[in-house]
Amino acid sequence: MADVKSRKDVQNVADGGSLSKEQIYLEETFYILSKKNSVFRVRLTARGLSLTKETEGSSKEQTILLRDIIGSKCMRSKRRRPGASSCVCSSLVGNQQLKVVDENSGDLDENDISAYLYIYAYILKRSRRTLKRERTTITLRFRSFDKYEDNNREAQKWRTTIKCLVAEQPITYMPPTNDKKLLILLNPKSGPGKARELFQTKVAPILQEAEVPYDLHVTKYAQYAREFVRTRNVYGWRGIVAVGGDGVLFEVLNGMFERLDWQQALAEVPLAIMPCGSGNGLAKSICHLYNEPYIPQNLTGMSMALARNKTAPMDVVRIETKTKIMFSFLSVGWGLLSDIDIESERLRAIGGQRFAVWALARLLGLRRYKGVVSYVKIKDVSNLPKPKQPLILSHSISQDGALDSPDAEAFIDCDEHSEVFTSTVNGKQHQRVDSWYSVNSRRSAFYSTRGSEYHSVTSSNSEMRSPVHACMHGPASYLPSLVSQLPSHWIHEEGEFVMVHVAYQSHIGEDFLFAPRSQLADGVMWMLIIKAGISRSQLLSFLLGIGQGTHAENNSEYIKMVPVSAFRIVPDGSHGYLTVDGELVEYGPIQAEIFPNIVNILVPDVK
């Protein structure tokens, strides 16, 4: 005899179709804990967990899809306190009476021979017009045998099969294990400053249910995440998660490109974003593309992505300014939207609402910027040529190489080992920048807790060393140097602009559907050009429409959206803001080109 209990009513959102044609891995009949006349016939298939409830001649079938199951755990009942009340007339355990502990706990009830299997799932449910995930726990009570060991063996068989199916591995007698942890880099000051709280309350419980171990490092200063991934052996982790705003992932991405083994590191170690900032453009884009509900400060869907370990390729954009090279995953901005982004920093405490408040201020005090915008237009977005393979300037090194060891005594110096490009303009030679900047050595220590490690920077027990010069590597540019003349097939627009914003994700913020046709890896950048002369009412209409993406197909005299593969912006004067992924960069000439499929990023499982 066995019992089943569900803490939530399971909503059947699965596609129709008979289960009879699917392979049934396990099947069992369980008796519901609260109603003596009800039984559940439970089947585990490649599709998920099917529960058929039979009550007095009627039956109702519900399905929990495998992609919604996050983990499972075997438990035993907890020892009752002496004198605790109990109903001797009932053999069924009520909702409030059942208390379980780990099977190795010293507080278990030896008299209860039952084995309990907890199955954790987050099921899509429709609430009015929106979808959201609801946590559901299915409890299967195995008590068909006279000994706990026999009942536990049955429970473990179900647990092992579920874990193998979730991991898409062959069914074995032992559950699949992954000894590698996730590396969590958390910026506690992102957005309204709730990243630490959100991680502990929203993300960590899901990782625990999925039995995914992690190392948590809280950033203590600017560029901490960048230094960390550049100087550590990242191959020891199965993924790097940036918890905070888009700026944390910007640091991680560029730190990876500052490694000599950048190509191998990016191929073997996927990246992920956990949105706790103000903009959260990449996270919203991922959820939008994978039909995952995006609810601010909810994080359930993105946390499930960390546990399921599904990856997808993502384009990156190589950006060159007068003194630096950097890599971007979201956008480049000049003018209105960049002004709003940077100047609204003083309102960071109110979260994403800061953008709307400052947009009104900038609309009243509208600015114009003179300059030249040049770009390579993509004529047919629906029929793109196969992307070229990037040229590699620096070769991958072994993961056991000196660069990966935090205790290495020597580091590669950028000036001695980097290829230098020169161009001649007006008889003068200009060196093409291969970006570097000075980095001070920092001290880093850690203390460990059960299942994960939490790190600080206050001890002198260990040292995280950084090279004096951090050199930017990555794919070689196909563009002329920033001071050279552009090829004849480029399009040039000169004059006054309200803004030029280029994005390569669908969203540049939670409420900014900038490029509805954009994909994670399509080789396309979408350039929005708004020329001076536009009325404030037209501009207001544009800002209101960008939330739904209605602006993208409505080109006019002053507004147009152009798909491009490369661009250059040369502002006149020295006053204004240029942003890359929301981060302020030096004001002046800037150019960019897209490189498809460079990065692997963790995404929701929608199979």
Side-chain angles (χ1 to χ4, degrees), residues 232-247:
R232 296 299 180 94
N233 180 7
V234 296
Y235 302 99
W237 291 287
R238 71 176 182 90
I240 302 175
V241 186
V243 180
D246 292 321

Side-chain angles (χ1 to χ4, degrees), residues 11 96 122 134 196 219 319 329 377 601:
Q11 183 78 9
Q96 301 302 320
Y122 291 81
E134 182 177 273
R196 192 195 304 257
T219 63
I319 294 171
F329 59 86
K377 183 177 180 180
I601 194 155

Side-chain angles (χ1 to χ4, degrees), residues 81-326:
R81 298 193 310 273
S85 61
S86 63
C87 181
V88 296
C89 62
S90 174
S91 63
L92 302 176
V93 183
N95 287 348
Q96 301 302 320
Q97 294 175 302
L98 177 61
K99 293 183 179 180
V100 294
V101 293
D102 188 89
E103 56 184 335
N104 297 319
S105 170
D107 198 24
L108 54 86
D109 184 359
E110 297 284 358
N111 295 321
D112 188 353
I113 61 172
S114 302
Y116 297 89
L117 176 64
Y118 275 55
I119 302 173
Y120 307 107
Y122 291 81
I123 301 173
L124 280 176
K125 293 190 67 175
R126 186 169 296 279
S127 176
R128 295 183 180 180
R129 298 182 180 179
T130 61
L131 282 173
K132 66 176 183 179
R133 289 195 177 272
E134 182 177 273
R135 183 179 184 272
T136 300
T137 303
I138 300 296
T139 307
L140 302 181
R141 181 184 186 184
F142 294 83
R143 54 174 183 167
S144 299
F145 299 96
D146 295 331
K147 294 182 179 180
Y148 164 74
E149 289 75 17
D150 295 328
N151 290 320
N152 182 57
R153 189 178 300 112
E154 289 297 307
Q156 292 290 352
K157 184 192 301 182
W158 279 72
R159 175 177 179 267
T160 298
T161 306
I162 289 173
K163 290 182 70 68
C164 289
L165 290 173
V166 168
E168 296 183 351
Q169 295 185 11
I171 307 299
T172 62
Y173 293 105
M174 294 295 294
T177 58
N178 190 341
D179 295 333
K180 287 187 176 182
K181 299 179 181 181
L182 283 173
L183 169 61
I184 311 290
L185 294 170
L186 184 150
N187 180 5
K189 297 183 179 180
S190 290
K194 296 183 179 179
R196 192 195 304 257
E197 175 187 351
L198 288 171
F199 178 82
Q200 296 294 353
T201 59
K202 305 294 185 181
V203 183
I206 293 178
L207 295 180
Q208 182 179 10
E209 291 174 349
E211 299 179 87
V212 175
Y214 58 86
D215 289 335
L216 173 63
H217 289 256
V218 179
T219 63
K220 300 296 181 180
Y221 50 84
Q223 305 302 324
Y224 175 91
R226 188 170 186 157
E227 292 178 17
F228 193 99
V229 300
R230 182 177 69 246
T231 58
R232 296 299 180 94
N233 180 7
V234 296
Y235 302 99
W237 291 287
R238 71 176 182 90
I240 302 175
V241 186
V243 180
D246 292 321
V248 189
L249 187 62
F250 179 80
E251 283 192 29
V252 171
L253 180 66
N254 282 276
M256 294 289 271
F257 275 110
E258 287 172 342
R259 300 173 62 97
L260 282 176
D261 61 342
W262 64 270
Q263 190 179 27
Q264 180 186 355
L266 288 172
E268 296 184 16
V269 186
L271 308 182
I273 182 74
M274 195 56 56
C276 300
S278 301
N280 305 321
L282 179 59
K284 182 60 180 286
S285 297
I286 292 172
C287 289
H288 173 75
L289 291 171
Y290 286 87
N291 297 315
E292 178 66 44
Y294 182 92
I295 303 172
Q297 299 188 353
N298 182 281
L299 308 183
T300 299
M302 298 300 287
S303 300
M304 292 179 68
L306 301 185
R308 299 305 292 262
N309 206 36
K310 302 293 182 181
T311 63
M314 184 177 73
D315 300 341
V316 297
V317 172
R318 184 184 189 276
I319 294 171
E320 184 176 345
T321 67
K322 289 187 295 185
T323 62
K324 287 187 177 181
I325 292 171
M326 66 198 80

Side-chain angles (χ1 to χ4, degrees), residues 508-521:
I508 57 174
E510 290 179 347
D511 300 319
F512 283 76
L513 180 52
F514 187 91
R517 300 171 65 185
S518 182
Q519 302 292 318
L520 282 178

Side-chain angles (χ1 to χ4, degrees), residues 46 50 125 127 132 144 164 214 232 329 370 419 443 457 539-540 555 567 574 576 584:
S50 171
K125 293 190 67 175
S127 176
K132 66 176 183 179
S144 299
C164 289
Y214 58 86
R232 296 299 180 94
F329 59 86
K370 289 185 178 181
E419 187 172 349
R443 296 192 175 274
V457 290
L539 197 53
L540 177 60
N555 289 351
F567 68 88
S574 57
L584 187 64

